[in-house]
Amino acid sequence: MASHRLPAAIRAPFEARTWRALLYVLIGLPLGVLWFALSVSFVSAGVGLLITFLGVPILAGALAMCRGFGAVERARARGLLGLDVRPPEPVRGRTGGAFSWMGAMLKSGAAWRHLLYAVVHMPWAVFSFTVTVTFWATGWGLFLYPLWQWVFPAYLGQDGMQLYGDGSHDLYLDSPFEIAVTSAVGLLLVMVGPWLLRGLVAVDRVLVSGLLGPSRLATRVTELESDRGVVVDTAAADLRRIERALHDGAQARLAALAMDLGLAKEKLAADPQAAAVLVDEAHGEVKLALRELRDLARGIHPAVLTDRGLDAALSAVASRCAVPVSVDVDLPARPLPAIEGIAYFTVSELLRNVTEHAGARRAWVDVWRAGDRLMVQVRDDGVGGAESLAGRSLAGLTERVGAVDGVLAVDSPAGGPTTVTAELPWRA
C-alpha cells in the first residue's frame, strides 16, 4: 500500500513488471536468432527439395518445428508478460497416417503464421534489445555516475568521463556541478526507460497474440460451440422446469378434478346435493389449474409479447411486481422474436430478484436501441450486493445472454443502488 502512494514515474523503474519485461527482451534476442536460423534453414531446404519427394516431409517438419517454437514463445509471454494466449487448433490428418498429417500441416494457416512470427520477430528482437540495453545501461550508468566517477582518475588517468575531445580541447565531467547534472540526466533516463520498455513489449504482445494464437475463425467456432452448449443446456433446464411445473401443478389438479367429477357422477342420482358440492369443488380446481397454466405459459413466452411486443409485455410484468416499476421502451421496430424473448426473460428474472432480494422501494426498466445493439437496463434503489444475493440466477442470465453474443453487466455496490444492463444484438 505504501508503494502505491508514490507517483507511477518513481515506482516504474523498481516494479517487478518492469524487470520481467526487461528479462523478456534480453531473452528474446538469442531465442529470436535461433528461431530465425532454424526456421529459414529448414524451410529453405524443404522448398528447394520440393522437386523431389524429400521436400514435402522436410517442409512439414519445419512447420511443425515452428509450432514448437510458438509454444515456447507463448509460455515466455505468459510467464514474463502475463499474456495468456491459447494455443492454435491441433493439426490432424483425415486418416491419421503420415501423409495425411503432412498434408494437413502444409495446409495449416496456424503453422504458416508461426513461421511468419519466426521471420518477423528476429529483426524486431534485435531492435528492441539494442534500444533497451542502450537506454537502460546509459540511464543507470549516468544516474550512478557519482558512485563510480573515481574509477577515471584512479585507473584511467583522467579526471572524469570525457564528454568532448578534439586533440586540443577536452571536456571532462569532473566538477561537483557537472557530476550532479550527469546524475540528473541519468535519473530522467531511468524514469523514462520503463515506459519505453513497455512500449517495445507492447509490440511483442501484438505479435504473440496475432500470430501464435488460434485464428479468428477457430476462435469464433469455439465460441459458437460453447454458446450452442449453453443454449442446449438452457433449453433442457427449461423443459425440466416446465415438466416439473405441469406434473406438480396443473396435472395434479386435473387428476383431482377427474376424481371429483367421477364421484359427482356416481352421486348424481342418489344424492344430488352432495354431487353439486363436488362439482363446485371441481369448478374451483379448474380455475386454479387454468391460472397455473396461464402463469406457466407467461413464463415461457407470453401471448402479449407475441401480439404487442416488449413495451406491453414488460408493462404487464411490471404491474405484477411487488414494488412500483417504471417502464420506458424506446425502440424504432421490433427485434427478432428470439432476441425479444431473451430481453423479456431477462427483465422478468431481474424484477423477480428485485422483489425477493433487493429490499427496494422502486425500480426502473429502460429498453432502447444503440447502434446495432439492444440495450436493456433494470435499476432499483435497494440494498445492493446483487452478485451475492442472486448470484445463481445472474449466472444463468449471463449464460443466456452470452449465448446470442450479448453481455450482462452488474453494478451493485453494498448499500445500493443496483443497475443491471444487458446488451443484446439488434436483429430486426
Side-chain angles (χ1 to χ4, degrees):
M1 292 297 292
S3 63
H4 289 283
R5 297 191 185 101
L6 298 175
I10 297 177
R11 296 198 317 265
F14 306 100
E15 288 180 332
R17 170 188 175 185
T18 300
W19 292 97
R20 288 196 300 267
L22 177 62
L23 181 60
Y24 182 89
V25 171
L26 296 180
I27 298 175
L29 178 60
L31 289 181
V33 172
L34 179 62
W35 303 156
F36 180 86
L38 291 176
S39 301
V40 171
S41 299
F42 279 91
V43 170
S44 299
V47 173
L49 292 174
L50 280 179
I51 58 175
T52 68
F53 176 75
L54 293 176
V56 174
I58 292 177
L59 186 57
L63 293 176
M65 179 181 63
C66 291
R67 287 178 65 101
F69 298 159
V72 176
E73 289 296 298
R74 287 192 299 272
R76 191 164 67 96
R78 182 168 53 251
L80 296 178
L81 302 182
L83 177 63
D84 191 8
V85 178
R86 293 191 301 109
E89 60 278 7
V91 175
R92 296 188 180 93
R94 292 184 178 179
T95 62
F99 290 101
S100 177
W101 175 83
M102 286 187 288
M105 182 62 70
L106 293 177
K107 292 185 292 185
S108 172
W112 289 102
R113 290 199 308 274
H114 281 64
L115 173 61
L116 179 61
Y117 175 86
V119 174
V120 172
H121 180 255
M122 193 276 290
W124 173 251
V126 172
F127 174 79
S128 59
F129 180 92
T130 303
V131 172
T132 299
V133 171
T134 302
F135 211 88
W136 204 265
T138 302
W140 282 100
L142 294 180
F143 175 54
L144 300 176
Y145 180 61
L147 300 180
W148 60 277
Q149 185 269 339
W150 59 271
V151 172
F152 292 95
Y155 295 101
L156 300 179
Q158 61 187 47
D159 296 331
M161 184 187 304
Q162 185 176 15
L163 184 62
Y164 172 78
D166 60 0
S168 59
H169 296 86
D170 297 321
L171 177 60
Y172 296 98
L173 302 174
D174 54 357
S175 69
F177 175 75
E178 292 170 344
I179 293 174
V181 171
T182 302
S183 181
V185 172
L187 177 60
L188 178 62
L189 295 179
V190 167
M191 295 173 65
V192 173
W195 308 104
L196 174 64
L197 177 60
R198 293 175 187 180
L200 295 173
V201 168
V203 178
D204 288 279
R205 289 175 172 270
V206 173
L207 290 175
V208 172
S209 58
L211 296 178
L212 300 184
S215 64
R216 292 184 178 180
L217 178 60
T219 302
R220 184 59 179 160
V221 169
T222 302
E223 292 176 353
L224 291 176
E225 289 177 347
S226 176
D227 292 345
R228 182 183 62 183
V230 170
V231 171
V232 172
D233 292 342
T234 302
D238 289 341
L239 288 175
R240 289 193 298 269
R241 177 177 60 83
I242 294 170
E243 189 276 335
R244 187 166 56 249
L246 289 174
H247 182 271
D248 298 340
Q251 181 178 335
R253 294 192 182 280
L254 291 176
L257 171 63
M259 294 177 61
D260 290 343
L261 290 178
L263 291 175
K265 181 180 179 181
E266 294 176 359
K267 293 178 178 291
L268 185 60
D271 191 355
Q273 187 175 1
V277 172
L278 291 174
V279 170
D280 185 64
E281 292 177 353
H283 182 253
E285 291 290 331
V286 168
K287 291 192 290 184
L288 289 175
L290 287 176
R291 187 170 63 187
E292 289 180 354
L293 288 174
R294 280 197 302 269
D295 292 339
L296 181 62
R298 188 183 295 116
I300 300 172
H301 196 93
V304 65
L305 178 62
T306 303
D307 298 338
R308 300 173 57 190
L310 275 174
D311 195 353
L314 295 183
S315 298
V317 172
S319 67
R320 297 192 300 270
C321 191
V323 300
V325 180
S326 298
V327 178
D328 183 12
V329 178
D330 182 14
L331 296 177
R334 293 184 62 176
L336 282 180
I339 302 299
E340 201 172 50
I342 292 177
Y344 172 83
F345 180 85
T346 300
V347 173
S348 300
E349 187 68 19
L350 291 175
L351 289 181
R352 187 180 68 82
N353 288 338
V354 169
T355 301
E356 296 179 358
H357 306 292
R361 296 188 301 272
R362 190 166 184 79
W364 297 264
V365 176
D366 297 296
V367 182
W368 72 97
R369 178 183 177 182
D372 60 348
R373 309 296 283 180
L374 173 63
M375 308 299 294
V376 178
Q377 187 176 85
V378 177
R379 297 174 289 129
D380 67 72
D381 58 358
V383 297
E387 293 90 341
S388 59
L389 292 175
R392 181 173 300 178
S393 62
L394 289 179
L397 282 180
T398 301
E399 293 180 351
R400 187 182 290 262
V401 171
V404 292
D405 287 340
V407 178
L408 187 75
V410 181
D411 180 18
S412 183
T418 296
T419 302
V420 182
T421 305
E423 182 179 327
L424 301 169
W426 175 266
R427 296 168 186 164

